[in-house]
Amino acid sequence: MHMTGADGAALRAALRDLRTKLHVPGEFPAAVLAEAEQAVREPRLPDVDATDIPLFTIDPPASRDLDQAMHLAKRPAGGYRVHYAIADVAAFVTPGGALDAEARRRVTTLYFPDVKVPVHPAVLSEGAASLLPGQTCPALLWRFDLDSAGRVESTEVRRALVRSRAKLDYEGVQQAIDSGTAEESLALLKDIGRLREALERERGGVSLNVPDQEIVARNGSFTLVYRAPLPVDGWNAQISLMTGMAAAELMLASGTGILRTLPSAPDGAVARLRLTAKALRIDWPHHMAYAELVRSLDPHLPAHAAFLQECTTLLRNATYTVFTGGHLPSPAVHAAVAAPYTHCTAPLRRLVDRYTGELCVAAVANAEPPQWVVSALETVRGRMAEGSRLANKAERECVDLVEAALLKDRVGETFDATVIDIEDNAPLVGTVHLEEPAVVGRVTSRSEKLPLGERIPVRLTAANPGVAKVLFARA
């Protein structure tokens, strides 16, 4: 975050206050740090050596907590082989130890504009357990054999030593693939990713390409802009989704596991989205399925970006579902994935993934899952629910703070905005979407009903970091 003068100081102070208010964990206790250092010196390493597989990672340039690395190849008889390595956190964390207890307390890595609050100490999450290039480390190594249409024919996962050859970033990968300069393993990400996207369409799944709000330096200060996802974001996500689906099937077959589930959206929620689409002048024929519409949208277009943001309301009822002893859950499907699914690809940043990884390794080996995993599943489910709520609240309030800091000296100014939502029982209250800067805020009108989907001038009435959210009034 690039800021100057009092603006930066005020925002950082407000962010510190926010972390205090949300009871966000601070520094790691000394006992946890000591155990982490000891674990780095004495990890539980696997016997299998797979360091000959030339893996690569794709992450934001500044990231060091690298959970996943992959290698893609064509099979001689047709189809594809995907190797997907996931950081093996369990090689360093002893069940019942100080590290384990602290990870259960923190649950998920929290990202703030100024700092990151990790689940595990940096010596692990950004060091010995991370799949950094040139570093030999333990991993759960998945192997998928796919047919020529991208369907999974066989799945295997085992512990192995791996070594990533390169740390790549999304923009660089997209440029290499588009220019035809990518090596075969990287170029195949496009082929396999698009095949998996076609299979997603076939089963009725949907992935939302929601633009991110990003803080960027500009003219010695900072502003907010929207970043629309690149195609490679989606191709990369398809490899992770494939792994999460395979993990769910392994656990269901073994009779013990924890799934990420989402019920189908109620008719009323979809009907409301249809009204929003109409207001934003997005053509949604009655015969067109919701998933098909979403795939037709361009996140670079403001109206489409606003609609995609509204679509996230259909994902708010996702939860974790535990099952043991062969008593399979019903339903066992994540509606957006349109298949059974679980979280298993980000153990450095999310607690539950360490447990699902252990269950999958046991399932493939036809072995009983570790008792420390089975006995903790309900506790992990509850902690993940709490952690997800905290992460969502922190994200919302961080955006409010940054928007307020950005606009605090512009109270009284008028901006062009699009009305993207209005209250059901209060048509004078709603939400507007500014293109420049990239801000979404509440708006009120004195007497005239807000025109959903229309561009209107709005006046900024409040913006005070840590005190008041950004508020607008119809000008």
Side-chain angles (χ1 to χ4, degrees), residues 18 22 111-112 390-400:
L18 172 61
L22 296 178
Y111 295 90
F112 293 85
L390 175 60
N392 291 335
K393 185 174 180 61
E395 182 178 349
R396 289 194 304 271
E397 299 216 13
C398 278
V399 171
D400 291 340

Side-chain angles (χ1 to χ4, degrees), residues 17-69:
D17 290 343
L18 172 61
R19 287 190 285 273
T20 300
K21 182 181 77 171
L22 296 178
H23 304 290
V24 171
E27 298 295 325
F28 284 93
V32 174
L33 294 174
E35 186 174 308
E37 294 284 356
Q38 182 67 23
V40 169
R41 291 191 294 270
E42 300 176 359
R44 292 178 289 276
L45 299 180
D47 296 327
V48 177
D49 188 334
T51 55
D52 60 318
I53 301 174
L55 302 166
F56 59 86
T57 61
I58 306 176
D59 289 276
S63 296
R64 288 189 56 82
D65 49 350
L66 312 184
D67 287 289
Q68 315 106 12

Side-chain angles (χ1 to χ4, degrees), residues 208-211 226 228-229 273 276-284 288 290 292-312 418-420 433 435 453:
L208 292 179
N209 293 319
V210 183
Y226 291 113
L273 276 181
T276 302
K278 182 178 180 181
L280 293 172
R281 294 183 173 82
I282 294 173
D283 185 26
W284 187 355
M288 180 182 285
Y290 162 73
E292 185 180 349
L293 171 73
V294 168
R295 274 186 288 272
S296 72
L297 301 180
D298 182 354
H300 293 89
L301 301 177
H304 290 194
F307 182 76
L308 286 166
Q309 185 62 52
E310 289 299 297
C311 287
T312 61
T418 301
V419 181
I420 61 172
H433 173 258
E435 294 178 38

Side-chain angles (χ1 to χ4, degrees), residues 153-166:
E153 291 186 332
S154 67
T155 300
E156 178 186 288
V157 59
R158 58 179 178 169
R159 286 192 151 87
L161 288 174
V162 301
R163 183 167 59 244
S164 172
R165 297 298 196 272

Side-chain angles (χ1 to χ4, degrees), residues 262-282:
L262 176 70
S264 299
D267 291 340
V270 177
R272 180 177 175 81
L273 276 181
R274 282 193 173 274
L275 292 175
T276 302
K278 182 178 180 181
L280 293 172
R281 294 183 173 82
I282 294 173

Side-chain angles (χ1 to χ4, degrees), residues 130-394:
S130 179
L131 303 182
L132 296 166
Q135 173 170 281
T136 299
C137 49
L140 301 185
L141 184 60
W142 291 79
R143 191 186 76 185
F144 299 99
D145 282 345
L146 313 180
D147 66 15
S148 58
R151 293 184 177 86
V152 176
E153 291 186 332
S154 67
T155 300
E156 178 186 288
V157 59
R158 58 179 178 169
R159 286 192 151 87
L161 288 174
V162 301
R163 183 167 59 244
S164 172
R165 297 298 196 272
K167 179 179 182 291
L168 309 177
D169 64 81
Y170 291 98
E171 291 188 4
V173 169
Q174 189 69 61
Q175 184 178 8
I177 291 176
D178 291 345
S179 65
T181 60
E183 295 182 0
E184 182 181 66
S185 181
L186 184 59
L188 286 174
L189 180 60
K190 176 180 179 179
D191 299 338
I192 296 173
R194 294 176 81 173
L195 289 172
R196 295 298 304 178
E197 288 173 340
L199 292 173
E200 182 178 70
R201 287 193 294 273
E202 185 180 293
R203 68 176 184 269
V206 59
S207 296
L208 292 179
N209 293 319
V210 183
D212 293 327
Q213 276 180 307
E214 290 191 344
I215 305 167
V216 298
R218 183 173 294 173
N219 300 325
S221 185
F222 71 103
T223 189
L224 282 165
V225 298
Y226 291 113
R227 175 192 174 271
L230 297 168
V232 70
D233 288 76
W235 304 332
N236 188 54
Q238 286 297 327
I239 305 298
S240 180
L241 280 169
M242 178 176 69
T243 309
M245 292 163 63
E249 293 292 353
L250 285 174
M251 291 189 295
L252 287 168
S254 72
T256 300
I258 179 168
L259 303 179
R260 185 67 168 163
T261 56
L262 176 70
S264 299
D267 291 340
V270 177
R272 180 177 175 81
L273 276 181
R274 282 193 173 274
L275 292 175
T276 302
K278 182 178 180 181
L280 293 172
R281 294 183 173 82
I282 294 173
D283 185 26
W284 187 355
H286 281 285
H287 67 272
M288 180 182 285
Y290 162 73
E292 185 180 349
L293 171 73
V294 168
R295 274 186 288 272
S296 72
L297 301 180
D298 182 354
H300 293 89
L301 301 177
H304 290 194
F307 182 76
L308 286 166
Q309 185 62 52
E310 289 299 297
C311 287
T312 61
T313 59
L314 300 189
L315 304 177
R316 290 177 183 169
N317 292 322
T319 188
Y320 291 94
T321 301
V322 169
F323 59 99
T324 58
H327 303 292
L328 303 186
S330 181
V333 171
H334 190 290
V337 180
Y341 172 72
T342 194
H343 283 154
C344 66
T345 63
L348 293 176
R349 293 171 285 169
R350 197 168 46 207
L351 175 67
V352 68
D353 300 52
R354 171 157 54 101
Y355 291 81
T356 53
E358 292 292 327
L359 290 169
C360 289
V361 169
V364 168
N366 292 317
E368 288 295 317
Q371 186 55 39
W372 66 265
V373 173
V374 178
S375 62
L377 286 179
E378 275 297 339
T379 300
V380 170
R381 183 198 63 77
R383 294 296 296 130
M384 287 303 305
E386 295 171 14
S388 297
R389 285 192 290 269
L390 175 60
N392 291 335
K393 185 174 180 61

